């Protein structure tokens, strides 16, 4: 019993066929692309199964036939966002994985999927049709909102211009004498003006942040009573989980999984991910700052005092639109040379931001960077670490979630301070749970590795072991780059030692990566001995690095004894 009756419905038609349960499972998995039509689902299935002539759902018969076959019945109603799975061969779930099918057979590549919360899953074959019709009517009465024209368009710009006018207009007029006074020949007058200018700048920074926060948190009728912040965060976690699955699949397959179609409903109405939230924060802050500067320039103009808010908005709006477009389309250093527009578009298409090997290796002397660059592809993420603190600018949906996180931070800090006061930790160390982590401390870094579990893949344990060695070697190399406390080797001598250490590490990795285990074991001891000889030379030349060298030497001894 391995087949099911698979029924697929959209707003215009129904089709059905008897299919192996794995095909029904793949069709359920493809719902993570949020298809609205059978054609959308057919394209989304290409992420899980190789394309074939006539499409993946080719050969289905028209019409609705929900009689169970063999091991059961699976109904996917796209218009209702409903899945019925009444089968003994598999259970449909919101989160899971299916094995990629290459057109000939299922492979060992696991393609993860996550289905949005607004899909309903049922197992009652007698009740599904009535529920589907009810949900269809509900969805027709509440069509999806395209929020981007509001969040990026005239509504945003008008809010910023009016808010900046109210916040900065009168203060800027009152401060018109500050800049001339700063140029005064009288030192006391100039210094007083500079102090006043700093105070004004600090006050303006606070007002800029307040305007930004007010835009994010003010409910709007054109957003159906929600605030921009509510809309921005509504589906962020879901999109993040989708992208995580695609990163994993890309790593296994060696190429990017099929993205969404730019004409699909999921692309147009699918919400905002973390990357777009970070980019949007930077864009809004930039627009507020530009508007603030425009008001300051106006205040300094000879006839600036006579300009009204309406006059200002009429001339300022085209300038802000021009800046916004240029900023979105220009390569940005803060985003590793990517354009904000491309970052947003890739996330909407569910395309992970892959890094080239040269991007991944940001330090040629760092062993971990070299290893990271070889485990391709490497993916690039924005985490929002440069955003303002506080609940409004956080990624938490509710104040309660944010407050809980703050309490957890406070507990960690309290534990750190208590252990440091008791002499258990130095100033640059953090408390770690020894049962969960293997910790390497000392020198310029503190590193924590997840402790291996009983079910861990032995090959992965070997990779983690090499990363531990790489971390310790990186600590030694970092020390060699710094000038010694007393007379030591020249810069050229240090560079030679660094090069020799890197060659020793590469030799060790080559030996451990050989397919011939017997040859690898035979060569391991002399390679490690050569590595330790170089470390002895480092310790002799730089006694201040003896502790770091000793940690790495001990780790190499552990490797020889099979304990790393």
């Amino acid at each position: 019993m391995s087949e099911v009756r698979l029924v697929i419905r959209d707003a215009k038609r129904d089709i059905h066929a008897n299919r192996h349960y794995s095909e029904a499972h793949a069709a359920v998995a493809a719902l993570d692309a949020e298809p609205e039509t059978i054609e959308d689902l057919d394209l989304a299935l290409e992420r899980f199964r190789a394309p074939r002539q006539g499409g993946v759902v080719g050969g289905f018969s028209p019409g609705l036939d929900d009689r169970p076959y063999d091991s059961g019945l699976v109904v996917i109603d796209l218009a209702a966002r409903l899945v019925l799975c009444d089968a003994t061969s598999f259970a449909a779930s919101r989160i899971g994985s299916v094995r990629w099918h290459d057109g000939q057979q299922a492979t060992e590549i696991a393609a993860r999927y996550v289905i949005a919360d607004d899909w309903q899953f049922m197992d009652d074959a007698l009740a599904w049709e009535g529920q589907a019709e009810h949900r269809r009517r509900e969805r027709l009465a509440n069509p999806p909102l395209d929020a981007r024209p509001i969040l990026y368009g005239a509504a945003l710009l008008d809010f910023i211009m009016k808010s900046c006018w109210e916040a900065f207009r009168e203060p800027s007029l009152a401060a018109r004498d500050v800049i001339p006074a700063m140029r005064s020949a009288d030192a006391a007058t100039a210094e007083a003006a500079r102090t006043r200018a700093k105070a004004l700048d600090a006050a303006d920074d606070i007002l800029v942040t307040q305007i930004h926060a007010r835009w994010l948190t003010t409910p709007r009728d054109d957003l159906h009573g929600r605030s921009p912040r509510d809309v921005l965060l509504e589906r962020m976690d879901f999109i993040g989980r989708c992208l995580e699955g695609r990163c994993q699949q890309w790593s296994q397959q060696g190429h990017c999984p099929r993205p969404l179609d730019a004409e699909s409903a999921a692309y147009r109405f699918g919400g905002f991910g973390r990357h777009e939230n970070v980019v949007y924060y930077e864009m809004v802050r930039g627009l507020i700052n530009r508007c603030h500067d425009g008001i300051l320039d106006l205040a300094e103009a000879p006839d600036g005092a006579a300009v009204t808010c309406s006059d200002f908005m009429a001339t300022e709006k085209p300038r802000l639109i021009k800046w916004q477009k240029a900023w979105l389309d220009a390569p940005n250093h803060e985003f590793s040379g990517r354009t904000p527009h491309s970052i947003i578009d890739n996330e909407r298409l569910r395309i992970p931001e892959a890094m080239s090997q040269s991007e991944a290796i940001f330090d040629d002397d760092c062993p971990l960077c070299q290893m990271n660059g070889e485990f391709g592809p490497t993916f690039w993420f924005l985490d929002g670490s440069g955003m303002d603190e506080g609940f409004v600018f956080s990624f938490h949906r509710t104040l309660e979630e944010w407050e809980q996180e703050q309490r957890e931070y406070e507990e960690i800090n309290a534990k750190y301070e208590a252990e440091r006061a008791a002499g258990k930790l130095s100033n640059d160390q953090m408390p770690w749970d020894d049962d969960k982590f293997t910790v390497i401390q000392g020198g310029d870094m503190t590193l924590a590795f997840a402790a291996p579990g009983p079910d861990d893949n032995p090959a992965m344990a070997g990779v983690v072991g090499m990363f531990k060695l790489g971390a310790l070697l990186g600590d030694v190399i970092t020390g060699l780059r710094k000038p010694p406390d007393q007379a030591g080797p020249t810069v050229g001598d240090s560079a030679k030692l660094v090069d020799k250490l890197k060659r020793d590490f590469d030799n060790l990795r080559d030996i451990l990566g050989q397919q011939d285990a017997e040859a690898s074991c035979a060569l391991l001891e002399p390679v490690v001995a050569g590595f330790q000889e170089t470390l002895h030379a480092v310790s002799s030349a730089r006694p201040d690095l003896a502790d770091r060298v000793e940690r790495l030497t001990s780790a190499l001894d552990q490797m020889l004894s099979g304990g790393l």
Side-chain angles (χ1 to χ4, degrees), residues 11-256:
K12 295 181 178 179
R13 62 184 176 127
D14 304 334
I15 59 175
H16 68 274
N18 299 331
R19 289 289 184 264
H20 191 272
Y21 78 87
S22 63
E23 292 191 47
H25 193 185
V28 172
L31 300 180
D32 79 342
E34 303 188 270
E36 291 285 345
T37 67
I38 292 172
E39 290 74 21
D40 287 344
L41 179 65
D42 202 46
L43 292 174
L45 271 161
E46 292 181 9
R47 185 186 154 207
F48 304 96
R49 304 179 75 85
R52 65 189 181 201
Q53 184 120 18
V56 182
V57 295
F60 277 59
S61 300
L64 173 60
D65 184 349
D66 63 349
R67 293 173 298 172
Y69 176 78
D70 197 13
S71 69
L73 171 68
V74 175
V75 178
I76 297 174
D77 191 326
L78 303 172
R81 293 213 163 191
L82 179 144
V83 176
L84 165 74
C85 183
D86 183 12
T88 58
S89 48
F90 85 103
S93 59
R94 199 176 297 279
I95 298 174
S97 66
V98 296
R99 294 167 63 189
W100 161 257
H101 197 288
D102 62 9
Q104 301 295 323
Q105 61 183 1
T107 69
E108 293 303 314
I109 295 172
R112 289 167 47 190
Y113 65 87
V114 56
I115 299 173
D117 292 338
D118 57 349
W119 283 82
Q120 181 178 355
F121 284 73
M122 299 180 62
D123 59 8
D124 185 352
L126 298 178
W128 78 266
E129 198 165 4
Q131 181 67 5
E133 292 308 312
H134 171 71
R135 288 176 61 83
R136 283 184 173 215
R137 289 194 296 271
E138 273 193 338
R139 293 195 72 219
L140 280 173
N142 298 282
L145 170 69
D146 186 359
R148 285 183 177 83
I150 300 165
L151 296 187
Y152 285 87
L156 168 66
L157 300 180
D158 289 348
F159 179 92
I160 287 174
M161 290 185 291
K162 290 177 182 177
S163 298
C164 285
W165 184 267
E166 294 170 359
F168 303 122
R169 173 61 171 169
E170 294 304 323
S172 64
L173 286 174
R176 293 176 72 176
D177 61 330
V178 172
I179 293 178
M182 290 172 63
R183 299 169 182 155
S184 171
D186 181 71
T189 300
E191 181 59 31
R194 283 193 289 270
T195 301
R196 185 182 175 203
K198 289 180 181 178
L200 290 171
D201 286 344
D204 283 359
D205 287 344
I206 293 172
L207 290 172
V208 165
T209 302
Q210 290 175 345
I211 292 169
H212 194 165
R214 200 160 63 248
W215 163 253
L216 290 175
T217 57
T218 302
R220 299 181 57 87
D221 291 339
D222 51 9
L223 294 177
H224 298 172
R226 295 175 296 169
S227 70
R229 186 179 189 276
D230 293 333
V231 175
L232 287 164
L233 298 183
E234 183 179 24
R235 294 170 66 81
M236 188 188 74
D237 291 340
F238 165 69
I239 293 173
R241 292 195 298 271
C242 286
L243 283 166
E244 286 175 9
R246 290 172 181 269
C247 288
Q248 184 186 60
Q249 186 175 348
W250 189 341
S251 296
Q252 294 180 76
Q253 283 186 296
H255 61 82
C256 181

Side-chain angles (χ1 to χ4, degrees), residues 251 338 353-357 360 372-380:
S251 296
R338 294 166 173 80
E353 292 286 350
M355 297 171 64
S356 66
Q357 187 176 26
N372 196 44
E374 294 169 13
F375 283 92
T378 303
F379 300 102
W380 178 90

Side-chain angles (χ1 to χ4, degrees), residues 212-214 216-217 229 233 388-395 402:
H212 194 165
R214 200 160 63 248
L216 290 175
T217 57
R229 186 179 189 276
L233 298 183
D388 282 335
E389 296 181 353
F391 165 68
V392 171
F393 300 106
S394 75
F395 294 135
W402 181 80

Side-chain angles (χ1 to χ4, degrees), residues 176 188 222 274 278-279 370 454 473 479:
R176 293 176 72 176
D222 51 9
R274 182 179 292 257
V278 175
V279 169
Q370 296 288 339
L473 176 57

Side-chain angles (χ1 to χ4, degrees), residues 292-324:
H292 165 257
D293 293 345
I295 291 176
L296 293 184
D297 293 341
L298 181 63
E300 294 174 17
D303 58 347
V307 176
T308 66
C309 180
S310 296
D311 296 334
F312 171 72
M313 290 178 66
T315 57
E316 183 70 4
K317 194 168 190 175
R319 192 176 77 92
L320 291 181
I321 291 173
K322 182 179 179 181
W323 179 89
Q324 181 186 41

Side-chain angles (χ1 to χ4, degrees), residues 395-506:
F395 294 135
H396 290 290
R397 295 282 299 277
T398 67
L399 179 61
E400 290 74 21
E401 291 173 355
W402 181 80
E403 289 176 339
Q404 175 61 31
E405 183 182 69
Q406 301 311 301
R407 286 191 291 270
E408 291 172 359
Y409 286 159
E410 289 171 4
E411 290 172 4
I412 292 173
N413 288 334
K415 179 179 179 182
Y416 165 68
E417 293 297 340
E419 295 199 8
R420 190 165 65 86
K424 296 180 180 179
L425 294 172
S426 63
N427 289 340
D428 60 350
Q429 292 175 345
M430 287 294 291
W432 301 95
D433 187 332
D434 293 339
D435 293 333
K436 297 179 180 178
F437 293 95
T438 298
V439 183
I440 300 171
Q441 295 175 324
D444 292 306
M445 60 182 72
T446 299
L447 298 138
F449 295 89
D455 299 326
D456 283 353
N457 187 320
M460 183 54 65
V463 171
V464 172
M466 286 306 300
F467 265 96
K468 291 179 183 179
L469 289 176
L472 292 168
L473 176 57
D475 202 23
V476 173
I477 289 174
T478 300
L480 280 169
R481 284 174 165 177
K482 293 182 178 180
D485 296 334
Q486 53 192 6
T490 64
V491 173
D493 291 335
S494 293
K496 290 178 182 177
L497 288 171
V498 169
D499 287 341
K500 184 64 169 66
L501 288 170
K502 288 165 58 182
R503 286 197 301 274
D504 289 334
F505 187 65
D506 288 342

